[in-house]
Amino acid sequence: MEFQQEIKGFLMSRRARITPEQAGLPFVGGNRRVKGLRREEVAMLAGLSVEYYTRMERGQLGGASESVLDAIARALQLDDDERAHLYDLARNVAPGSRRKRPRRTSPITASVHQVLDSMSVPAVVQNGRLDLLAANDLGRALYADLFTMAQQPPNFARYVFLDPRAKAFYADLDEAKDLLVAVLRATAGRDPLDKQVTELIGELSARSTDFSTRWAKHHVHRHSRGRKVVNHPAAGTMELAYDDFALPGDPHVSITTYTADPGTPSADALTLLATWADTQKQPQTMNDEVRRTRPRHP
């Protein structure tokens, strides 16, 4: 991802969505040639010179102070996720920022697997690239489609954009696509040297026009919590709340849990999912038992 173009696209897309009225500027009659705010209006709202803001919008964010970035964030009415993304972009074009990242060890230890297995709700481990790295039995049952994908580890973005089964699984596929693209955008801005992220974005852009269109909107989101409705082929429709818990050693790898409100049809569906998950394990369990009891012949 070319970072100067990324900065330009992000800042232009943010000012394009704000009308002068929304920014508290007086109405001036006549046709406006640009959608949203003009550069000079953003500069005025941020207390910057037009020349300085123009250079920043062209990608020259390196060296910008925290107060300047905060002023731009206020002028463009950025939310918390967008503000963090702006800081990431500025940090990654600062002098000396393009240094080699240290090699990371996997945060998914034996104790993490024990925690997963001890949970009574569906739980998975995922990273910022949206790879599904581990799961307990209920998590594997919930996302059974992903674990049968040809390319492993399973990846949520590949699933929603390239796997036709996603259309039936997500009650609102458009919402799921927008969310996952926004999460990938935040991940890409956080670490421009992550080759696997860059390759995934390139693959999705080449194989899905839908992804490319959504990617061009520059929306940003940090996956943390929310609600989703899924249509599981065995358990039926479930409205689930999800929460992310960062793992020690890597704040961008998290355990995500899925719960349903007590006493609801979704809670009953989760119980049904657990029963179905047990049936999926039985053939393997029976095979293991046969192997243990089968007499050995000389």
Side-chain angles (χ1 to χ4, degrees), residues 218-232:
H218 289 270
H219 294 326
V220 179
H221 182 71
R222 311 247 163 168
H223 199 271
S224 56
R225 64 180 55 187
R227 302 185 74 87
K228 65 176 64 178
V229 179
V230 299
N231 301 310
H232 192 274

Side-chain angles (χ1 to χ4, degrees), residues 4-176:
Q4 287 192 338
Q5 289 301 316
E6 171 66 12
I7 293 167
K8 179 180 179 180
F10 177 67
L11 291 177
M12 289 182 65
S13 69
R14 298 309 91 179
R15 69 177 169 88
R17 67 181 180 174
I18 303 173
T19 66
E21 291 78 15
Q22 290 171 328
L25 297 176
F27 174 77
V28 178
N31 294 326
R32 294 174 62 88
R33 292 185 299 171
V34 298
K35 181 181 179 181
L37 295 176
R38 301 186 179 101
R39 284 197 187 101
E40 55 267 28
E41 291 169 333
V42 175
M44 180 187 67
L45 290 168
L48 306 173
S49 70
V50 176
E51 293 77 10
Y52 184 32
Y53 177 74
T54 299
R55 290 200 305 271
M56 298 181 76
E57 194 172 279
R58 288 173 178 168
Q60 299 176 33
L61 269 182
S65 67
E66 183 175 329
S67 61
V68 167
L69 295 176
D70 282 343
I72 293 173
R74 288 193 299 271
L76 295 176
Q77 301 180 16
L78 303 186
D79 63 23
D80 290 342
D81 291 341
E82 292 166 335
R83 182 185 293 262
H85 186 61
L86 178 65
Y87 269 82
D88 284 339
L89 295 177
R91 172 175 51 80
N92 282 306
V93 293
S97 64
R98 298 301 179 93
R99 57 187 180 275
K100 188 175 181 179
R101 300 296 195 270
R103 190 176 185 85
R104 293 173 179 168
T105 58
S106 173
I108 308 175
T109 61
S111 61
V112 171
H113 283 288
Q114 289 178 339
V115 169
L116 282 174
D117 293 339
S118 71
M119 291 182 171
S120 60
V121 298
V124 303
V125 177
Q126 61 181 320
N127 57 21
R129 194 168 53 248
L130 301 173
D131 292 330
L132 205 168
L133 302 176
N136 62 5
D137 289 340
L138 278 172
R140 293 184 70 90
L142 178 63
Y143 289 118
D145 283 354
L146 276 83
F147 284 100
T148 62
M149 293 176 69
Q151 193 165 350
Q152 295 292 313
N155 181 273
F156 284 103
R158 285 195 184 98
Y159 178 63
V160 299
F161 285 101
L162 304 180
D163 194 317
R165 294 175 295 179
K167 184 176 182 180
F169 182 75
Y170 287 102
D172 191 334
L173 185 59
D174 277 339
E175 180 182 60

